[in-house]
Amino acid sequence: MEQSRDISLEEIIDCQDKAMHRAIQEHQKEWEFVKDCIELVINRRIIEEHIVENDKIKLEVVHTFLNDALSTLINSFKIALYGCYSDSMTLLRPALEELTIMNYIVLKGLFVTADHELDRRLVKLKYETIVKSVKDGQAIEELHGRISGLAAHGTASRIRNNRFELYGTNLPTVGVGLDSEKTKKCLHEIMRASLYMIRILTDFYGTKKDGTKKDIISEDYFSKSRELEKRFECL
């Protein structure tokens, strides 16, 4: 079909905003779940006066991985709402990898190793070598595999996934797309990654090695994380 007029970038950006509002209305439960996960992390309250010297490097290492993964997750979420499924999943992949490395650091107590490798390059803490050793490792590998198959590389699968049907016409996704089923599928993968983030932080902030409870974060974090677990089971 021949294009009848020029299209400006501003029009595409305007379409993105409209597509996002439409997706939020159509997928309200998914939107609210991911939003609540992200806001729980952003607004968590660290009790500074309860932090001892030994906690400082642990918090710095975990929060370094967390902040990068969280930023990427937010962008993946927004792009999914635009209907750009391949682009969204391409961003979700490194976020998932960073969360898995963070998970491994917390599980094994490798805070000093992580601090050292962050200043150089990740050698002992590569996603590929540690994923089988983390909590929920098999589920994370499966999620990572689905993401990689859909979008992470320049493949025919990615290109096919970057099209949508509108009024019987197959269209390319150029900054925006409209496909409710694809959006829902994409949002559910982001939900899994968001809850994974919450679970890792719950483990990190939760208990000391001797089994006693830490008190460096406000109690409402744990009650809200339990609520999110229950909500996820019902979605």
Side-chain angles (χ1 to χ4, degrees):
M1 181 183 297
E2 185 178 348
Q3 188 170 300
S4 60
R5 65 176 182 84
D6 291 345
I7 298 172
S8 69
L9 179 58
E10 288 83 358
E11 286 179 290
I12 294 174
I13 293 171
D14 182 58
C15 286
Q16 286 178 329
D17 290 338
K18 290 176 180 175
M20 179 174 65
H21 291 305
R22 172 176 168 168
I24 290 171
Q25 291 175 349
E26 289 183 348
H27 307 285
Q28 191 71 33
K29 289 183 179 179
E30 289 82 2
W31 156 259
E32 289 180 354
F33 183 86
V34 178
K35 176 177 178 290
D36 288 349
C37 285
I38 290 170
E39 290 181 352
L40 176 58
V41 174
I42 290 173
N43 297 312
R44 69 196 187 283
R45 296 287 183 265
I46 303 295
I47 306 173
E48 299 287 342
E49 58 268 29
H50 291 175
I51 296 174
V52 298
E53 191 63 31
N54 191 43
D55 291 327
K56 291 180 180 178
I57 188 174
K58 297 178 182 179
L59 288 166
E60 183 177 349
V61 164
V62 168
H63 292 169
T64 298
F65 279 95
L66 172 65
N67 291 337
D68 197 70
L70 179 60
S71 176
T72 309
L73 180 67
I74 291 169
N75 288 323
S76 172
F77 185 34
K78 186 175 183 180
I79 291 171
L81 296 170
Y82 290 161
C84 299
Y85 320 109
S86 295
D87 294 339
S88 172
M89 294 294 96
T90 297
L91 282 175
L92 188 61
R93 176 174 163 162
L96 187 67
E97 291 172 355
E98 289 177 349
L99 290 172
T100 300
I101 295 168
M102 187 174 86
N103 191 1
Y104 186 73
I105 292 166
V106 171
L107 179 67
K108 301 294 185 181
L110 297 175
F111 303 101
V112 174
T113 299
D115 185 52
H116 177 81
E117 293 199 356
L118 279 168
D119 283 337
R120 293 160 183 82
R121 63 189 181 92
L122 300 182
V123 178
K124 296 179 181 178
L125 299 175
K126 286 185 177 180
Y127 169 83
E128 294 81 3
T129 58
I130 57 92
V131 63
K132 294 183 185 297
S133 303
V134 300
K135 187 176 180 181
D136 298 325
Q138 183 176 346
I140 296 307
E141 276 195 294
E142 291 171 358
L143 174 54
H144 189 271
R146 290 195 301 272
I147 293 169
S148 299
L150 279 174
H153 304 286
T155 62
S157 175
R158 174 189 167 88
I159 293 168
R160 286 194 303 271
N161 195 55
N162 233 9
R163 301 187 69 86
F164 65 101
E165 293 282 337
L166 184 65
Y167 304 125
T169 302
N170 188 273
L171 299 171
T173 300
V174 182
V176 64
L178 296 173
D179 187 318
S180 183
E181 285 305 309
K182 282 185 180 179
T183 298
K184 185 173 183 178
K185 182 178 180 180
C186 196
L187 291 176
H188 276 252
E189 303 293 34
I190 296 170
M191 286 168 58
R192 293 182 180 94
S194 300
L195 185 59
Y196 182 46
M197 173 177 63
I198 297 296
R199 288 171 175 170
I200 297 166
L201 289 177
T202 300
D203 287 343
F204 175 59
Y205 293 131
T207 55
K208 300 177 183 177
K209 287 187 177 179
D210 63 5
T212 59
K213 193 164 187 178
K214 292 181 182 178
D215 56 0
I216 61 173
I217 194 166
S218 57
E219 176 60 32
D220 65 327
Y221 175 87
F222 299 102
S223 61
K224 289 177 181 177
S225 68
R226 289 190 293 269
E227 178 191 335
L228 286 165
E229 289 280 3
K230 292 178 182 177
R231 283 170 58 188
F232 185 77
E233 291 174 4
C234 298
L235 288 172

